[in-house]
Amino acid sequence: MECKSSGSPVTFVDNVVVPGDVVVDLSSMTNQTIKLGGGLRQDCDAISVMKAGKLRFSKPNKYWVETSQKRYVPCVEDSVLGIVVDSKSDNFLIDIKGPALAFLPVLAFEGGTRRNIPKFEAGTLLYVRVVKANPGMNPELSCTDASGKAAEFGALKDGYMFECSTGLSRMLLSSPTCPVLEALGKKLSFEIAVGLNGRVWVNSNSPSIVIIVANAIMNSESLSGVQQKIMAEKLLHKIQLIVLEGYILDCKWTIVEESVTFEIFAHLPSALKDAQDFELRIRIDPLQVLL
Amino acid sequence: MDGRLANTWKLTVNEKKFIETALASNLRIDGRNPLEYRKITIKFGRQELQEEKNNGVPLMSCYCVIIASVLPLEDGSSEVQLGQTHVMGLVTGQLVQPYQDRQNEGTLSIFTEFSPMADPSFEPGRPGESAVELGRIVDRGLSFSMECFPKNMESRAVDTESLCVLAGKLVWAIRIDLHILDNGGNLVDAANIAALASLLTFRRPECTLGGEDGQEVTVHPPECFPTSYAFYKSESSGGLLMYQINWITVVGVENGFSYNEREPLPLIVHHLPIAITFAFFGGEGKMVVDPVHSEEAVMGGRMTVTVNANGDICAIQKGGGEGVPQSAIMHCLQLASLSAESITKKIKNAVEAYNTERALRKIKRHPTSDAGNVSVAALDVIEQNKTIEQVEGSELSRHHLERLKLVPEDTCSSRGDDNDADIKPSEQGGTGRVQGNAVNFLGGPSSWDPYSKGVDPDSLKASLASRGVSTRHMKQNGSGENSPKTEPEKPTKDIKQATLATDTSGTALQTNGEKTLKDAVKPKNKRRKRASPSMKGS
């Protein structure tokens, strides 16, 4: 079943393709079945591209185009983050950034019966799975895995959700672990849920960690693996310095011709005193300075 | 219903709660301080557009051209980015009949365009509530202070009286179009900056009155257009009609060149009213400046303060339900006047950089001529403002011919030596050309800018000095450098330098002294030092 003779798909696989590219020539590969995913179409013997993105191939015979965009095109078995928009008697209406609202049947929960229907107010964030995505129909979601278990699906409490491109969320889910998450995860403790529809949810004990992680992820959109690591490490270094503020005992300042001089009395751990690039970042509330 | 539900953007419960809790400890979701402004980027229209437009436009056969298309496209358009928010401003002008009650004033109107591409919640077609509000706030900032100080016309941001061409008959109507390209929150501030930036770079063609009764209006096209236009007062209809104003007739064309072209005029902008938006949260009086999209969805109230760099309050707009104590308002005003200063500086820097680029581009735009022509043109400056055509057409004096023979073909290459140190390599080709074609500038009016004071005395001195130089007394002074070159070459070079000096100092005046041009002026000072002894000698 493997395509042997055709040279063209091999050259295109994992490369950027644009609409109109003919990636597979069927006339050269008879006696084979191939499966086409999103972004590809068949014109007689030619398989041509409909979207700009990277052509992917999975053994034995699946081809699809991976794109990065703001809008999500629902696809079966994707796990996504949805926002409850409305609830009807047998369905919740969920926004998954797609062209149409998705339906989440009220019974699609672990052990769901007519008696224990969950209550979600509008604006609740859910981690769900797409089970049906047919053209011309609203997609259908489920809060259980294939075997009917809850398996992490369901409402997400607290934390912060932000939107990104579908490409970025795919990068965050890729294995081995995305460098930015790996670097951040070594120093900070946080929970993260990534939806393939370009939504990411982050939770942690302190809001500042959430903000740091969220911004680091958003900044890593166009960075390579190494750059992501450097960026995350720089960020962590900065945070350490902020933590130092806890050691400051007293602080005096004098204002001389619009410039402010600080005198800081701090009790520092001896290890830190030796650090060469030691600097203190002081957060001043501009409100206080003004008044 | 389904479609509309999908288009209305809703904040999740999680986000709302998080923004509020984070703000309680003075943290914002994008990592800013509560009183920190986002990064502002200002871009202006691109020059390619203009180049395309000017190349071989068959204007001779055009009888109906509206003013907007006469203007170079690039002037008066700006793009402002405030974080994720992206707004485009476009200023155009048209000659219209004034309002009856304000016969000697031009008009200024603002139109907003909220595209659904920027935010799905914007509906195409009719302007929504926020679109109207945004336009009103910007409009009020630009014109409101007139109401406060009715006697002091200078308190208005844009001087509308200077837009009058013929009282009661013809005035300029300035139109500002604001296009929202991406909504990342705080559209008002971004749109206001875009409006100001495009107003500052907008230029309208100069108009003069002529004819027997002084009622015939001539619109002087920008100098890049090889024809001129005039408005005719139609005697038969007994006055100007609106549609006739927009008809342009080509007059005074001689061999494709006209002597009516003038540099277009910028608007007179007295001060820059900057809008600063504050968002208020909850009962504890939490306040942030420049809210992002999600903060706008959570905030209880909002206040936009329009102030200028001097600290004058031009307008205040309070939206949203939440009440704000007086002390908070006073605090906001203080903060606003501080940030207005820095934003004004940013706008001015961006406009200045654009003007420099524009002046340099104008230099490049002039037709290229070969080395022989260049030297003729350079000599022409000495002969006091003859145009290139005249020189080419008329017989050259014996003096000229003699000089021409002596100038070798390689002047082009030697030209580079003069500027090497001072001008960026990318601009070198263009500036090289300046020297030859400076004649065109000197021929045109030097006082096109209302702020300029004619020719700089320094530059005049320099040109006088260069004239002294041209009488070959320079030999004694300048012999230290360029030793391998032949003697007659030097005077031409010097003249060229001087031409550059006069020209650039003129442009420097127009553009309020930019770096690159100042750099280019440097040779002038050198020249003066060297040339003055030669003056004494002669």
Side-chain angles (χ1 to χ4, degrees), chain A residues 38-61:
Chain A
L40 294 171
R41 58 179 276 176
Q42 182 184 4
D43 296 323
C44 300
D45 272 353
I47 303 295
S48 54
V49 179
M50 292 198 297
K51 281 183 194 168
K54 270 187 178 172
L55 183 73
R56 297 291 186 194
F57 168 70
S58 115
K59 285 177 182 177
N61 55 4

mmCIF file with all atom_site columns, all heavy atoms in Angstrom, chain A residues 38-61:
data_model
loop_
_atom_site.group_PDB
_atom_site.id
_atom_site.type_symbol
_atom_site.label_atom_id
_atom_site.label_alt_id
_atom_site.label_comp_id
_atom_site.label_asym_id
_atom_site.label_entity_id
_atom_site.label_seq_id
_atom_site.pdbx_PDB_ins_code
_atom_site.Cartn_x
_atom_site.Cartn_y
_atom_site.Cartn_z
_atom_site.occupancy
_atom_site.B_iso_or_equiv
_atom_site.pdbx_formal_charge
_atom_site.auth_seq_id
_atom_site.auth_comp_id
_atom_site.auth_asym_id
_atom_site.auth_atom_id
_atom_site.pdbx_PDB_model_num
ATOM 1   N N   . GLY A 1 38 ? -7.818  17.417 5.160   1.00 0.00 ? 38 GLY A N   1
ATOM 2   C CA  . GLY A 1 38 ? -8.176  18.811 4.876   1.00 0.00 ? 38 GLY A CA  1
ATOM 3   C C   . GLY A 1 38 ? -7.172  19.478 3.964   1.00 0.00 ? 38 GLY A C   1
ATOM 4   O O   . GLY A 1 38 ? -5.978  19.211 4.011   1.00 0.00 ? 38 GLY A O   1
ATOM 5   N N   . GLY A 1 39 ? -7.677  20.354 3.090   1.00 0.00 ? 39 GLY A N   1
ATOM 6   C CA  . GLY A 1 39 ? -6.806  21.164 2.243   1.00 0.00 ? 39 GLY A CA  1
ATOM 7   C C   . GLY A 1 39 ? -6.387  20.508 0.947   1.00 0.00 ? 39 GLY A C   1
ATOM 8   O O   . GLY A 1 39 ? -5.626  21.085 0.201   1.00 0.00 ? 39 GLY A O   1
ATOM 9   N N   . LEU A 1 40 ? -6.880  19.287 0.674   1.00 0.00 ? 40 LEU A N   1
ATOM 10  C CA  . LEU A 1 40 ? -6.521  18.606 -0.572  1.00 0.00 ? 40 LEU A CA  1
ATOM 11  C C   . LEU A 1 40 ? -7.787  18.258 -1.339  1.00 0.00 ? 40 LEU A C   1
ATOM 12  O O   . LEU A 1 40 ? -8.843  18.038 -0.744  1.00 0.00 ? 40 LEU A O   1
ATOM 13  C CB  . LEU A 1 40 ? -5.732  17.319 -0.284  1.00 0.00 ? 40 LEU A CB  1
ATOM 14  C CG  . LEU A 1 40 ? -4.347  17.494 0.338   1.00 0.00 ? 40 LEU A CG  1
ATOM 15  C CD1 . LEU A 1 40 ? -3.796  16.142 0.749   1.00 0.00 ? 40 LEU A CD1 1
ATOM 16  C CD2 . LEU A 1 40 ? -3.404  18.157 -0.641  1.00 0.00 ? 40 LEU A CD2 1
ATOM 17  N N   . ARG A 1 41 ? -7.685  18.206 -2.662  1.00 0.00 ? 41 ARG A N   1
ATOM 18  C CA  . ARG A 1 41 ? -8.831  17.785 -3.461  1.00 0.00 ? 41 ARG A CA  1
ATOM 19  C C   . ARG A 1 41 ? -8.353  16.991 -4.664  1.00 0.00 ? 41 ARG A C   1
ATOM 20  O O   . ARG A 1 41 ? -7.184  17.092 -5.065  1.00 0.00 ? 41 ARG A O   1
ATOM 21  C CB  . ARG A 1 41 ? -9.663  18.979 -3.919  1.00 0.00 ? 41 ARG A CB  1
ATOM 22  C CG  . ARG A 1 41 ? -8.875  19.976 -4.731  1.00 0.00 ? 41 ARG A CG  1
ATOM 23  C CD  . ARG A 1 41 ? -9.746  21.109 -5.167  1.00 0.00 ? 41 ARG A CD  1
ATOM 24  N NE  . ARG A 1 41 ? -10.459 20.746 -6.392  1.00 0.00 ? 41 ARG A NE  1
ATOM 25  C CZ  . ARG A 1 41 ? -11.349 21.529 -6.960  1.00 0.00 ? 41 ARG A CZ  1
ATOM 26  N NH1 . ARG A 1 41 ? -11.645 22.691 -6.409  1.00 0.00 ? 41 ARG A NH1 1
ATOM 27  N NH2 . ARG A 1 41 ? -11.954 21.169 -8.078  1.00 0.00 ? 41 ARG A NH2 1
ATOM 28  N N   . GLN A 1 42 ? -9.288  16.228 -5.217  1.00 0.00 ? 42 GLN A N   1
ATOM 29  C CA  . GLN A 1 42 ? -8.913  15.388 -6.349  1.00 0.00 ? 42 GLN A CA  1
ATOM 30  C C   . GLN A 1 42 ? -9.474  15.966 -7.630  1.00 0.00 ? 42 GLN A C   1
ATOM 31  O O   . GLN A 1 42 ? -10.667 16.246 -7.738  1.00 0.00 ? 42 GLN A O   1
ATOM 32  C CB  . GLN A 1 42 ? -9.471  13.973 -6.130  1.00 0.00 ? 42 GLN A CB  1
ATOM 33  C CG  . GLN A 1 42 ? -9.080  13.029 -7.251  1.00 0.00 ? 42 GLN A CG  1
ATOM 34  C CD  . GLN A 1 42 ? -9.711  11.659 -7.089  1.00 0.00 ? 42 GLN A CD  1
ATOM 35  O OE1 . GLN A 1 42 ? -10.503 11.441 -6.178  1.00 0.00 ? 42 GLN A OE1 1
ATOM 36  N NE2 . GLN A 1 42 ? -9.369  10.751 -7.982  1.00 0.00 ? 42 GLN A NE2 1
ATOM 37  N N   . ASP A 1 43 ? -8.601  16.210 -8.624  1.00 0.00 ? 43 ASP A N   1
ATOM 38  C CA  . ASP A 1 43 ? -9.042  16.584 -9.965  1.00 0.00 ? 43 ASP A CA  1
ATOM 39  C C   . ASP A 1 43 ? -8.604  15.463 -10.891 1.00 0.00 ? 43 ASP A C   1
ATOM 40  O O   . ASP A 1 43 ? -7.441  15.414 -11.286 1.00 0.00 ? 43 ASP A O   1
ATOM 41  C CB  . ASP A 1 43 ? -8.378  17.886 -10.426 1.00 0.00 ? 43 ASP A CB  1
ATOM 42  C CG  . ASP A 1 43 ? -8.788  19.059 -9.566  1.00 0.00 ? 43 ASP A CG  1
ATOM 43  O OD1 . ASP A 1 43 ? -9.959  19.085 -9.157  1.00 0.00 ? 43 ASP A OD1 1
ATOM 44  O OD2 . ASP A 1 43 ? -7.941  19.924 -9.297  1.00 0.00 ? 43 ASP A OD2 1
ATOM 45  N N   . CYS A 1 44 ? -9.507  14.560 -11.232 1.00 0.00 ? 44 CYS A N   1
ATOM 46  C CA  . CYS A 1 44 ? -9.170  13.373 -12.034 1.00 0.00 ? 44 CYS A CA  1
ATOM 47  C C   . CYS A 1 44 ? -7.988  12.642 -11.410 1.00 0.00 ? 44 CYS A C   1
ATOM 48  O O   . CYS A 1 44 ? -8.087  12.154 -10.303 1.00 0.00 ? 44 CYS A O   1
ATOM 49  C CB  . CYS A 1 44 ? -8.873  13.755 -13.490 1.00 0.00 ? 44 CYS A CB  1
ATOM 50  S SG  . CYS A 1 44 ? -10.261 14.541 -14.282 1.00 0.00 ? 44 CYS A SG  1
ATOM 51  N N   . ASP A 1 45 ? -6.848  12.701 -12.087 1.00 0.00 ? 45 ASP A N   1
ATOM 52  C CA  . ASP A 1 45 ? -5.696  11.948 -11.599 1.00 0.00 ? 45 ASP A CA  1
ATOM 53  C C   . ASP A 1 45 ? -4.779  12.768 -10.698 1.00 0.00 ? 45 ASP A C   1
ATOM 54  O O   . ASP A 1 45 ? -3.800  12.257 -10.186 1.00 0.00 ? 45 ASP A O   1
ATOM 55  C CB  . ASP A 1 45 ? -4.892  11.415 -12.804 1.00 0.00 ? 45 ASP A CB  1
ATOM 56  C CG  . ASP A 1 45 ? -5.433  10.064 -13.246 1.00 0.00 ? 45 ASP A CG  1
ATOM 57  O OD1 . ASP A 1 45 ? -6.314  9.539  -12.531 1.00 0.00 ? 45 ASP A OD1 1
ATOM 58  O OD2 . ASP A 1 45 ? -4.983  9.562  -14.288 1.00 0.00 ? 45 ASP A OD2 1
ATOM 59  N N   . ALA A 1 46 ? -5.094  14.026 -10.558 1.00 0.00 ? 46 ALA A N   1
ATOM 60  C CA  . ALA A 1 46 ? -4.178  14.881 -9.793  1.00 0.00 ? 46 ALA A CA  1
ATOM 61  C C   . ALA A 1 46 ? -4.782  15.231 -8.436  1.00 0.00 ? 46 ALA A C   1
ATOM 62  O O   . ALA A 1 46 ? -5.968  15.500 -8.320  1.00 0.00 ? 46 ALA A O   1
ATOM 63  C CB  . ALA A 1 46 ? -3.901  16.162 -10.569 1.00 0.00 ? 46 ALA A CB  1
ATOM 64  N N   . ILE A 1 47 ? -3.945  15.195 -7.410  1.00 0.00 ? 47 ILE A N   1
ATOM 65  C CA  . ILE A 1 47 ? -4.362  15.660 -6.084  1.00 0.00 ? 47 ILE A CA  1
ATOM 66  C C   . ILE A 1 47 ? -3.757  17.042 -5.915  1.00 0.00 ? 47 ILE A C   1
ATOM 67  O O   . ILE A 1 47 ? -2.536  17.187 -5.903  1.00 0.00 ? 47 ILE A O   1
ATOM 68  C CB  . ILE A 1 47 ? -3.856  14.720 -4.976  1.00 0.00 ? 47 ILE A CB  1
ATOM 69  C CG1 . ILE A 1 47 ? -4.340  13.284 -5.198  1.00 0.00 ? 47 ILE A CG1 1
ATOM 70  C CG2 . ILE A 1 47 ? -4.286  15.238 -3.610  1.00 0.00 ? 47 ILE A CG2 1
ATOM 71  C CD1 . ILE A 1 47 ? -5.817  13.097 -5.103  1.00 0.00 ? 47 ILE A CD1 1
ATOM 72  N N   . SER A 1 48 ? -4.609  18.060 -5.825  1.00 0.00 ? 48 SER A N   1
ATOM 73  C CA  . SER A 1 48 ? -4.063  19.413 -5.732  1.00 0.00 ? 48 SER A CA  1
ATOM 74  C C   . SER A 1 48 ? -4.408  20.039 -4.382  1.00 0.00 ? 48 SER A C   1
ATOM 75  O O   . SER A 1 48 ? -5.320  19.603 -3.684  1.00 0.00 ? 48 SER A O   1
ATOM 76  C CB  . SER A 1 48 ? -4.574  20.271 -6.885  1.00 0.00 ? 48 SER A CB  1
ATOM 77  O OG  . SER A 1 48 ? -5.969  20.236 -6.916  1.00 0.00 ? 48 SER A OG  1
ATOM 78  N N   . VAL A 1 49 ? -3.654  21.074 -4.058  1.00 0.00 ? 49 VAL A N   1
ATOM 79  C CA  . VAL A 1 49 ? -3.746  21.717 -2.748  1.00 0.00 ? 49 VAL A CA  1
ATOM 80  C C   . VAL A 1 49 ? -4.766  22.849 -2.800  1.00 0.00 ? 49 VAL A C   1
ATOM 81  O O   . VAL A 1 49 ? -4.879  23.542 -3.803  1.00 0.00 ? 49 VAL A O   1
ATOM 82  C CB  . VAL A 1 49 ? -2.350  22.254 -2.361  1.00 0.00 ? 49 VAL A CB  1
ATOM 83  C CG1 . VAL A 1 49 ? -2.395  22.948 -1.010  1.00 0.00 ? 49 VAL A CG1 1
ATOM 84  C CG2 . VAL A 1 49 ? -1.339  21.135 -2.343  1.00 0.00 ? 49 VAL A CG2 1
ATOM 85  N N   . MET A 1 50 ? -5.527  23.012 -1.732  1.00 0.00 ? 50 MET A N   1
ATOM 86  C CA  . MET A 1 50 ? -6.511  24.079 -1.669  1.00 0.00 ? 50 MET A CA  1
ATOM 87  C C   . MET A 1 50 ? -6.163  25.148 -0.631  1.00 0.00 ? 50 MET A C   1
ATOM 88  O O   . MET A 1 50 ? -6.774  26.196 -0.601  1.00 0.00 ? 50 MET A O   1
ATOM 89  C CB  . MET A 1 50 ? -7.886  23.519 -1.323  1.00 0.00 ? 50 MET A CB  1
ATOM 90  C CG  . MET A 1 50 ? -8.479  22.671 -2.422  1.00 0.00 ? 50 MET A CG  1
ATOM 91  S SD  . MET A 1 50 ? -10.221 22.479 -2.201  1.00 0.00 ? 50 MET A SD  1
ATOM 92  C CE  . MET A 1 50 ? -10.273 21.622 -0.646  1.00 0.00 ? 50 MET A CE  1
ATOM 93  N N   . LYS A 1 51 ? -5.228  24.841 0.267   1.00 0.00 ? 51 LYS A N   1
ATOM 94  C CA  . LYS A 1 51 ? -4.882  25.787 1.333   1.00 0.00 ? 51 LYS A CA  1
ATOM 95  C C   . LYS A 1 51 ? -3.375  25.920 1.398   1.00 0.00 ? 51 LYS A C   1
ATOM 96  O O   . LYS A 1 51 ? -2.658  24.974 1.062   1.00 0.00 ? 51 LYS A O   1
ATOM 97  C CB  . LYS A 1 51 ? -5.331  25.239 2.689   1.00 0.00 ? 51 LYS A CB  1
ATOM 98  C CG  . LYS A 1 51 ? -6.775  25.370 3.016   1.00 0.00 ? 51 LYS A CG  1
ATOM 99  C CD  . LYS A 1 51 ? -6.929  24.827 4.420   1.00 0.00 ? 51 LYS A CD  1
ATOM 100 C CE  . LYS A 1 51 ? -8.358  24.562 4.787   1.00 0.00 ? 51 LYS A CE  1
ATOM 101 N NZ  . LYS A 1 51 ? -8.403  23.775 6.023   1.00 0.00 ? 51 LYS A NZ  1
ATOM 102 N N   . ALA A 1 52 ? -2.909  27.071 1.852   1.00 0.00 ? 52 ALA A N   1
ATOM 103 C CA  . ALA A 1 52 ? -1.470  27.218 2.053   1.00 0.00 ? 52 ALA A CA  1
ATOM 104 C C   . ALA A 1 52 ? -1.104  26.611 3.405   1.00 0.00 ? 52 ALA A C   1
ATOM 105 O O   . ALA A 1 52 ? -1.789  26.835 4.392   1.00 0.00 ? 52 ALA A O   1
ATOM 106 C CB  . ALA A 1 52 ? -1.094  28.686 2.031   1.00 0.00 ? 52 ALA A CB  1
ATOM 107 N N   . GLY A 1 53 ? -0.067  25.832 3.428   1.00 0.00 ? 53 GLY A N   1
ATOM 108 C CA  . GLY A 1 53 ? 0.348   25.208 4.677   1.00 0.00 ? 53 GLY A CA  1
ATOM 109 C C   . GLY A 1 53 ? 1.405   24.160 4.414   1.00 0.00 ? 53 GLY A C   1
ATOM 110 O O   . GLY A 1 53 ? 2.042   24.148 3.359   1.00 0.00 ? 53 GLY A O   1
ATOM 111 N N   . LYS A 1 54 ? 1.592   23.291 5.396   1.00 0.00 ? 54 LYS A N   1
ATOM 112 C CA  . LYS A 1 54 ? 2.579   22.229 5.228   1.00 0.00 ? 54 LYS A CA  1
ATOM 113 C C   . LYS A 1 54 ? 1.870   20.926 4.898   1.00 0.00 ? 54 LYS A C   1
ATOM 114 O O   . LYS A 1 54 ? 0.867   20.594 5.543   1.00 0.00 ? 54 LYS A O   1
ATOM 115 C CB  . LYS A 1 54 ? 3.378   22.053 6.530   1.00 0.00 ? 54 LYS A CB  1
ATOM 116 C CG  . LYS A 1 54 ? 4.608   22.920 6.593   1.00 0.00 ? 54 LYS A CG  1
ATOM 117 C CD  . LYS A 1 54 ? 5.438   22.570 7.812   1.00 0.00 ? 54 LYS A CD  1
ATOM 118 C CE  . LYS A 1 54 ? 6.692   23.415 7.848   1.00 0.00 ? 54 LYS A CE  1
ATOM 119 N NZ  . LYS A 1 54 ? 7.417   23.237 9.105   1.00 0.00 ? 54 LYS A NZ  1
ATOM 120 N N   . LEU A 1 55 ? 2.384   20.222 3.900   1.00 0.00 ? 55 LEU A N   1
ATOM 121 C CA  . LEU A 1 55 ? 1.790   18.933 3.541   1.00 0.00 ? 55 LEU A CA  1
ATOM 122 C C   . LEU A 1 55 ? 2.287   17.877 4.513   1.00 0.00 ? 55 LEU A C   1
ATOM 123 O O   . LEU A 1 55 ? 3.483   17.767 4.764   1.00 0.00 ? 55 LEU A O   1
ATOM 124 C CB  . LEU A 1 55 ? 2.170   18.555 2.111   1.00 0.00 ? 55 LEU A CB  1
ATOM 125 C CG  . LEU A 1 55 ? 1.541   17.246 1.618   1.00 0.00 ? 55 LEU A CG  1
ATOM 126 C CD1 . LEU A 1 55 ? 0.059   17.447 1.354   1.00 0.00 ? 55 LEU A CD1 1
ATOM 127 C CD2 . LEU A 1 55 ? 2.237   16.736 0.376   1.00 0.00 ? 55 LEU A CD2 1
ATOM 128 N N   . ARG A 1 56 ? 1.356   17.122 5.065   1.00 0.00 ? 56 ARG A N   1
ATOM 129 C CA  . ARG A 1 56 ? 1.737   16.061 5.997   1.00 0.00 ? 56 ARG A CA  1
ATOM 130 C C   . ARG A 1 56 ? 1.334   14.711 5.405   1.00 0.00 ? 56 ARG A C   1
ATOM 131 O O   . ARG A 1 56 ? 0.364   14.621 4.648   1.00 0.00 ? 56 ARG A O   1
ATOM 132 C CB  . ARG A 1 56 ? 1.041   16.263 7.344   1.00 0.00 ? 56 ARG A CB  1
ATOM 133 C CG  . ARG A 1 56 ? 1.413   17.531 8.052   1.00 0.00 ? 56 ARG A CG  1
ATOM 134 C CD  . ARG A 1 56 ? 2.837   17.495 8.547   1.00 0.00 ? 56 ARG A CD  1
ATOM 135 N NE  . ARG A 1 56 ? 3.117   18.666 9.349   1.00 0.00 ? 56 ARG A NE  1
ATOM 136 C CZ  . ARG A 1 56 ? 4.328   19.040 9.685   1.00 0.00 ? 56 ARG A CZ  1
ATOM 137 N NH1 . ARG A 1 56 ? 5.385   18.345 9.276   1.00 0.00 ? 56 ARG A NH1 1
ATOM 138 N NH2 . ARG A 1 56 ? 4.522   20.104 10.419  1.00 0.00 ? 56 ARG A NH2 1
ATOM 139 N N   . PHE A 1 57 ? 2.060   13.714 5.794   1.00 0.00 ? 57 PHE A N   1
ATOM 140 C CA  . PHE A 1 57 ? 1.781   12.350 5.330   1.00 0.00 ? 57 PHE A CA  1
ATOM 141 C C   . PHE A 1 57 ? 1.925   11.428 6.511   1.00 0.00 ? 57 PHE A C   1
ATOM 142 O O   . PHE A 1 57 ? 2.853   11.558 7.307   1.00 0.00 ? 57 PHE A O   1
ATOM 143 C CB  . PHE A 1 57 ? 2.783   11.982 4.230   1.00 0.00 ? 57 PHE A CB  1
ATOM 144 C CG  . PHE A 1 57 ? 2.792   10.534 3.883   1.00 0.00 ? 57 PHE A CG  1
ATOM 145 C CD1 . PHE A 1 57 ? 1.705   9.972  3.218   1.00 0.00 ? 57 PHE A CD1 1
ATOM 146 C CD2 . PHE A 1 57 ? 3.866   9.725  4.211   1.00 0.00 ? 57 PHE A CD2 1
ATOM 147 C CE1 . PHE A 1 57 ? 1.708   8.628  2.881   1.00 0.00 ? 57 PHE A CE1 1
ATOM 148 C CE2 . PHE A 1 57 ? 3.864   8.378  3.882   1.00 0.00 ? 57 PHE A CE2 1
ATOM 149 C CZ  . PHE A 1 57 ? 2.785   7.826  3.217   1.00 0.00 ? 57 PHE A CZ  1
ATOM 150 N N   . SER A 1 58 ? 0.962   10.533 6.675   1.00 0.00 ? 58 SER A N   1
ATOM 151 C CA  . SER A 1 58 ? 1.135   9.559  7.740   1.00 0.00 ? 58 SER A CA  1
ATOM 152 C C   . SER A 1 58 ? 0.960   8.176  7.142   1.00 0.00 ? 58 SER A C   1
ATOM 153 O O   . SER A 1 58 ? 0.103   7.976  6.275   1.00 0.00 ? 58 SER A O   1
ATOM 154 C CB  . SER A 1 58 ? 0.129   9.845  8.859   1.00 0.00 ? 58 SER A CB  1
ATOM 155 O OG  . SER A 1 58 ? -0.777  8.795  8.992   1.00 0.00 ? 58 SER A OG  1
ATOM 156 N N   . LYS A 1 59 ? 1.803   7.285  7.568   1.00 0.00 ? 59 LYS A N   1
ATOM 157 C CA  . LYS A 1 59 ? 1.753   5.936  7.024   1.00 0.00 ? 59 LYS A CA  1
ATOM 158 C C   . LYS A 1 59 ? 0.460   5.276  7.455   1.00 0.00 ? 59 LYS A C   1
ATOM 159 O O   . LYS A 1 59 ? 0.012   5.508  8.572   1.00 0.00 ? 59 LYS A O   1
ATOM 160 C CB  . LYS A 1 59 ? 2.960   5.133  7.531   1.00 0.00 ? 59 LYS A CB  1
ATOM 161 C CG  . LYS A 1 59 ? 4.229   5.548  6.808   1.00 0.00 ? 59 LYS A CG  1
ATOM 162 C CD  . LYS A 1 59 ? 5.419   4.812  7.348   1.00 0.00 ? 59 LYS A CD  1
ATOM 163 C CE  . LYS A 1 59 ? 6.673   5.306  6.627   1.00 0.00 ? 59 LYS A CE  1
ATOM 164 N NZ  . LYS A 1 59 ? 7.886   4.684  7.132   1.00 0.00 ? 59 LYS A NZ  1
ATOM 165 N N   . PRO A 1 60 ? -0.193  4.489  6.659   1.00 0.00 ? 60 PRO A N   1
ATOM 166 C CA  . PRO A 1 60 ? 0.314   4.113  5.357   1.00 0.00 ? 60 PRO A CA  1
ATOM 167 C C   . PRO A 1 60 ? -0.084  5.051  4.221   1.00 0.00 ? 60 PRO A C   1
ATOM 168 O O   . PRO A 1 60 ? 0.643   5.179  3.261   1.00 0.00 ? 60 PRO A O   1
ATOM 169 C CB  . PRO A 1 60 ? -0.338  2.741  5.148   1.00 0.00 ? 60 PRO A CB  1
ATOM 170 C CG  . PRO A 1 60 ? -1.624  2.824  5.888   1.00 0.00 ? 60 PRO A CG  1
ATOM 171 C CD  . PRO A 1 60 ? -1.378  3.699  7.059   1.00 0.00 ? 60 PRO A CD  1
ATOM 172 N N   . ASN A 1 61 ? -1.228  5.749  4.332   1.00 0.00 ? 61 ASN A N   1
ATOM 173 C CA  . ASN A 1 61 ? -1.718  6.372  3.109   1.00 0.00 ? 61 ASN A CA  1
ATOM 174 C C   . ASN A 1 61 ? -2.480  7.668  3.324   1.00 0.00 ? 61 ASN A C   1
ATOM 175 O O   . ASN A 1 61 ? -3.333  8.024  2.545   1.00 0.00 ? 61 ASN A O   1
ATOM 176 C CB  . ASN A 1 61 ? -2.606  5.371  2.349   1.00 0.00 ? 61 ASN A CB  1
ATOM 177 C CG  . ASN A 1 61 ? -3.735  4.865  3.239   1.00 0.00 ? 61 ASN A CG  1
ATOM 178 O OD1 . ASN A 1 61 ? -3.883  5.320  4.375   1.00 0.00 ? 61 ASN A OD1 1
ATOM 179 N ND2 . ASN A 1 61 ? -4.518  3.944  2.729   1.00 0.00 ? 61 ASN A ND2 1
#
